């Protein structure tokens, strides 16, 4: 067994499977509850099934992993040769996942540092990659945590949604703001700020909102070397077109990922989501 610092994250990081394997990153799945069925994100429910359920207005909720799931993960990772574990998770403002990991870490067979990144989706994924690359270079647990925290500080996430209704239903944004947006028939732009989903701007049409999302991403990137992720739910054409435009606009673009979000984020945003994550290297 090789001795190493291991990186654990959760399924909302939405890292490509090949990337996870290459960097030996382990993801603990969150759960989507569809009607009376509890399904693991990434293995037991597809985004297509989720989108269809949402469009039919079937009840959809999400659930964090239990501490016992993290405890088993930490045990397996330790048995693979890990001398320490860095466990990086989506914002504690949005989920109890971080709290469950903290409970499990107290009983882990090796030291575990649990980090609330304040991020979600590839904003979390880029943090996990930074930690993994540091660990691969021989870094300690503390050094891997520092790398992840620095990456989080240099990462921004912006989202367009067709409606705030799904966020309102899931309690992720104030009901009053959702009602105001519906009354004015605006297309909301949101951002991740302080680990919370916050309103950014209100734009009158979908096309103008997406154009503004592109502008914001370009302004945030500037001329720096950045990694970018474009996320969507049931909006592949929009996402691909936005990614193509960003390729021509960002002089410091390093890696660009285009992917559909998983069921956990999708349950709270609804079909039509378009998101951009900009992460400085």
């Amino acid at each position: 067994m090789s001795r190493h610092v291991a990186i654990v994250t959760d399924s909302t990081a939405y890292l490509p499977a090949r990337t996870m394997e290459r960097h030996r990153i382990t993801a603990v799945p969150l759960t989507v509850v569809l009607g009376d069925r509890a399904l693991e994100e990434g293995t037991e429910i597809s985004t297509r099934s989720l989108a269809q359920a949402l469009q039919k207005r079937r009840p959809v909720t999400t659930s964090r992993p239990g501490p016992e799931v993290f405890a088993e993960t930490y045990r397996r990772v330790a048995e693979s040769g890990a001398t320490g574990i860095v466990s990086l998770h989506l914002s504690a403002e949005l989920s109890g996942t971080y709290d469950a990991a903290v409970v499990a870490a107290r009983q882990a067979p090796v030291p575990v540092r649990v980090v609330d990144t304040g991020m979600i989706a590839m904003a979390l994924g880029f943090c996990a990659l930074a930690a993994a690359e540091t660990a691969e270079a021989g870094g300690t647990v503390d050094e891997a945590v520092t790398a992840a925290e620095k990456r989080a500080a240099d990462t921004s996430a912006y989202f367009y949604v067709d409606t705030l209704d799904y966020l309102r239903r899931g309690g992720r944004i104030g009901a009053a703001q959702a009602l105001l947006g519906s009354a004015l028939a605006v297309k909301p732009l949101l951002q991740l700020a302080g680990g919370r989903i916050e309103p950014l701007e209100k734009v009158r049409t979908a096309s103008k909102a997406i154009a503004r999302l592109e502008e914001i991403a370009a302004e945030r990137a500037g001329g720096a070397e950045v990694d970018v992720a474009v996320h969507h739910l049931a909006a592949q054409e929009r996402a691909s077109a936005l990614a193509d435009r960003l390729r021509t606009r960002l002089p410091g673009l390093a890696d660009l990922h285009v992917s559909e979000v998983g069921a956990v984020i999708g349950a709270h945003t609804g079909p039509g989501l378009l998101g951009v994550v900009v992460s400085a290297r």
Side-chain angles (χ1 to χ4, degrees):
M1 293 188 300
S2 63
R3 313 300 288 173
H4 63 280
V5 172
I7 308 302
V8 172
T9 187
D10 58 68
S11 60
T12 69
Y14 300 140
L15 285 162
R18 285 181 298 178
T19 301
M20 299 271 289
E21 292 168 9
R22 185 165 68 250
H23 295 283
R24 295 194 296 179
I25 299 171
T26 301
V28 176
L30 275 73
T31 299
V32 176
V33 182
L34 188 59
D36 59 355
R37 300 174 63 207
L39 305 167
E40 283 190 357
E41 179 175 44
T43 58
E44 296 180 339
I45 181 170
S46 68
T47 50
R48 176 174 294 182
S49 298
L50 171 79
Q52 290 172 346
L54 291 172
Q55 287 163 347
K56 293 176 181 176
R57 300 189 72 82
R58 293 179 61 191
V60 180
T61 58
T62 58
S63 176
R64 63 168 182 142
E68 67 281 359
V69 178
F70 278 106
E72 173 61 19
T73 299
Y74 296 153
R75 183 190 64 75
R76 284 190 289 103
V77 169
E79 288 178 351
S80 75
T83 55
I85 298 170
V86 178
S87 198
L88 302 155
H89 300 291
L90 79 159
S91 172
E93 294 280 350
L94 302 175
S95 169
T97 300
Y98 166 81
D99 294 330
V102 168
V103 171
R106 296 179 187 137
Q107 306 299 322
V110 297
V112 180
R113 284 280 301 277
V114 183
V115 180
D116 171 13
T117 65
M119 299 283 119
I120 198 166
M122 272 299 291
L124 168 59
F126 288 134
C127 294
L129 279 175
E133 288 166 356
T134 299
E136 288 163 2
T140 64
V141 165
D142 287 345
E143 289 167 340
V145 168
T146 297
E149 291 177 338
K150 184 179 187 307
R151 197 66 187 261
D154 292 334
T155 298
S156 299
Y158 308 100
F159 308 93
Y160 160 80
V161 291
D162 278 333
T163 173
L164 289 171
D165 188 46
Y166 298 102
L167 285 163
R168 179 192 61 76
R169 283 192 236 165
R172 297 307 193 271
I173 197 168
Q177 290 168 324
L179 292 171
L180 179 61
S182 299
L184 295 178
V186 298
K187 294 299 183 181
L189 292 178
L190 309 167
Q191 64 180 332
L192 198 59
R196 297 180 299 274
I197 297 171
E198 300 284 358
L200 180 61
E201 295 181 8
K202 294 171 183 171
V203 185
R204 285 289 179 181
T205 67
S207 59
K208 288 180 179 178
I210 294 169
R212 181 62 184 138
L213 185 65
E214 177 186 339
E215 290 292 333
I216 291 167
E219 290 166 6
R220 173 65 179 81
E225 184 179 11
V226 295
D227 295 323
V228 171
V230 176
H231 288 304
H232 73 94
L233 180 62
Q236 178 67 58
E237 189 173 325
R238 278 178 176 175
S240 296
L242 176 58
D244 288 343
R245 294 194 299 272
L246 289 173
R247 283 190 184 94
T248 66
R249 291 197 62 168
L250 305 185
L253 182 62
D255 288 334
L256 176 61
H257 303 262
V258 181
S259 66
E260 193 163 33
V261 298
V264 168
I265 291 182
H268 294 292
T269 61
L273 163 75
L274 199 58
V276 179
V277 176
V278 180
S279 183
R281 288 201 166 191

